Amino acid sequence: MADVLRTYSEENLKQVVTDLGQPSYRVKQLVEWLFVHPVLSYDEMTNLPASFRKALKERFPLLPPRIYNRQISRDGSRKYVLQLDDDSLIEMVAMPQEKDRLSVCLSTQVGCPLQCIFCATGREGFQRNLRADEIVDQVIIAQNDFNMRVSHVLAMGQGEPFLNYDNLMDALHVLNDPHRMAIGSRHITISTSGMIKGIERLASEPDQFTLAVSLHAAIQSLRDKLMPKMASQPLDMLHQALITYYKKTRRRFTLEYVLIDKVNDSPACLEALIDFCQYLHCHVNLIPLNDTGDEGFKPSGSRTLNQWQNTLIQHHIETTVRNSRGADIMGACGQLKNSL
Ligand code: SAH
Ligand code: SF4
């Protein structure tokens, strides 16, 4: 049994309560404090006796991230730089949408080893994987800061989720469990740079999490330039993995395509994307690049965006354009943290 209480099932918590000589009704109280109306410290668990809290603190220290910096966007979204207990920094964004809807874009690693050249996180290098509780705590921090339940989760912040597969799944199970944080599986999205092993593993899980794949180029040589570390996982294999994913799960997935002016937005690039979408049950999400100031990359213009969207739709490919939220607070992950 791992020593991170925030990932414990009710069974495991029963064991803890018994081991520490407490009556069984404490299990319900713990579940309440850890998951239902979660707090980040034992001191806030006010209906537990001090001796029990002390024993828990010693045996199962909670090591939540702390808010190091918070920026509030004009559109209401909030971007956080969080400091972990080893002092490293990650980013998290919370976006209130309609009434009752609060989406959190969380990080899964400190930095990222994949070094995509348009990505601020890729440029900072890789430090470590996040623990499952550090992933869950990001949701709790947003929830407490907004005083509102988080309804949607996107593993789309810093890091490559499938390179931290086990901790990610442990965390998502806590978030999804109806007796714990109860966020519906279809409201949980995992964004990957296209790691084939991860896509295959996800396809064999019973959970109905949503998959998003960062494509950014359907021409191999161009993709290799933009995402050099993904060159070992060629597009034809990715395509095959996505066909298999759909056959197994019957779930549509999203292809994300960041449009960079004069880099991956030519007519030939569009044609390649249309070809790639053949035989795939996908939804395309076009994203204007968030200018990170480096490499001279600029977002494609709105004319190109509209033209891409219209052409894809003409080819019966469901396509949306993502409005980058929080652009005024350095929307692309890694940007705010790296500017502090
Ligand atoms: N590593 C995963 C998830 C984190 S990145 C992945 O690559 O999918 C989340 C998304 O942000 C990816 O689609 C990524 O390509 C995109 N992204 C990175 N840098 C960006 C930028 N400067 N502007 C817009 N989107 C960016
Ligand atoms: Fe890593 Fe995703 Fe950034 Fe690429 S885009 S460097 S995979 S976080």
Side-chain angles (χ1 to χ4, degrees):
M1 205 153 70
D3 57 357
V4 181
L5 212 61
R6 188 83 69 190
T7 59
Y8 277 23
S9 65
E10 199 161 323
E11 273 313 300
N12 295 154
L13 290 176
K14 268 185 199 148
Q15 192 62 50
V16 170
V17 164
T18 311
D19 288 353
L20 294 177
Q22 291 290 321
S24 57
Y25 64 84
R26 297 273 181 237
V27 176
K28 199 160 173 278
Q29 293 175 321
L30 263 181
V31 168
E32 184 74 22
W33 289 123
L34 288 169
F35 307 115
V36 182
H37 295 106
V39 292
L40 292 166
S41 71
Y42 289 116
D43 295 335
E44 291 162 90
M45 302 185 184
T46 45
N47 60 357
L48 303 183
S51 58
F52 183 36
R53 280 189 257 160
K54 186 162 172 275
L56 288 170
K57 216 184 274 185
E58 279 162 12
R59 296 263 298 263
F60 308 97
L62 297 176
L63 301 168
R66 284 174 294 116
I67 297 178
Y68 181 86
N69 182 283
R70 185 187 72 171
Q71 310 269 331
I72 302 182
S73 166
R74 281 189 294 275
D75 65 20
S77 57
R78 297 182 190 177
K79 182 155 199 166
Y80 305 82
V81 175
L82 303 177
Q83 186 169 41
L84 309 179
D85 65 290
D86 65 357
D87 288 343
S88 49
L89 302 176
I90 55 165
E91 287 187 13
M92 181 267 288
V93 183
M95 297 159 281
Q97 279 139 334
E98 323 84 79
K99 190 174 161 283
D100 296 338
R101 182 166 170 164
L102 179 62
S103 300
V104 164
C105 177
L106 53 77
S107 293
T108 55
Q109 298 185 309
V110 183
C112 180
L114 294 182
Q115 299 174 356
C116 303
I117 59 173
F118 49 85
C119 173
T121 301
R123 247 173 267 138
E124 77 179 67
F126 172 69
Q127 285 183 51
R128 69 171 173 89
N129 280 335
L130 294 193
R131 300 187 310 264
D133 57 310
E134 289 170 327
I135 298 174
V136 173
D137 286 352
Q138 293 174 63
V139 174
I140 298 173
I141 288 168
Q143 202 154 271
N144 292 354
D145 197 38
F146 275 84
N147 197 17
M148 180 180 172
R149 239 192 111 249
V150 167
S151 59
H152 291 68
V153 166
L154 308 151
M156 214 180 256
Q158 297 192 281
E160 167 50 46
F162 285 157
L163 289 176
N164 188 13
Y165 192 94
D166 293 333
N167 291 347
L168 172 73
M169 282 302 153
D170 285 351
L172 296 188
H173 288 142
V174 172
L175 296 175
N176 176 229
D177 182 348
H179 301 294
R180 289 186 281 174
M181 294 188 62
I183 300 171
S185 50
R186 285 159 193 274
H187 291 181
I188 295 178
T189 301
I190 304 169
S191 173
T192 176
S193 55
M195 311 231 62
I196 291 169
K197 279 231 171 65
I199 294 170
E200 288 168 351
R201 273 183 89 178
L202 186 67
S204 59
E205 302 281 357
D207 314 283
Q208 310 242 313
F209 303 137
T210 302
L211 174 68
V213 175
S214 297
L215 191 68
H216 310 325
I219 297 171
Q220 189 69 56
S221 54
L222 178 57
R223 194 167 196 262
D224 293 351
K225 276 191 199 127
L226 297 176
M227 307 171 78
K229 293 279 168 84
M230 294 308 290
S232 58
Q233 311 208 21
L235 284 166
D236 53 348
M237 283 173 66
L238 176 61
H239 194 260
Q240 193 50 52
L242 291 172
I243 288 180
T244 310
Y245 175 86
Y246 183 79
K247 274 195 189 140
K248 265 191 152 164
T249 64
R250 295 283 146 192
R251 288 201 304 277
R252 288 167 80 85
F253 49 86
T254 301
L255 293 179
E256 296 166 282
Y257 199 109
V258 168
L259 277 163
I260 312 172
D261 186 40
K262 296 188 184 66
V263 173
N264 65 351
D265 65 351
S266 69
C269 290
L270 177 55
E271 211 170 290
L273 175 60
I274 292 167
D275 276 355
F276 189 84
C277 290
Q278 275 217 358
Y279 310 115
L280 294 186
H281 292 80
C282 64
H283 167 113
V284 171
N285 198 354
L286 301 175
I287 308 156
L289 177 85
N290 245 300
D291 190 352
T292 60
D294 298 300
E295 304 291 339
F297 289 153
K298 296 278 169 240
S300 303
S302 55
R303 266 185 65 184
T304 307
L305 245 96
N306 290 338
Q307 198 219 330
W308 273 57
Q309 186 179 23
N310 292 338
T311 311
L312 287 162
I313 290 171
Q314 275 162 19
H315 284 80
H316 310 288
I317 301 164
E318 198 184 296
T319 306
T320 47
V321 172
R322 185 192 299 165
N323 290 323
S324 185
R325 298 202 58 184
D328 57 324
I329 50 170
M330 306 210 176
C333 259
Q335 270 184 282
L336 174 60
K337 167 181 152 181
N338 292 334
S339 74
L340 290 176

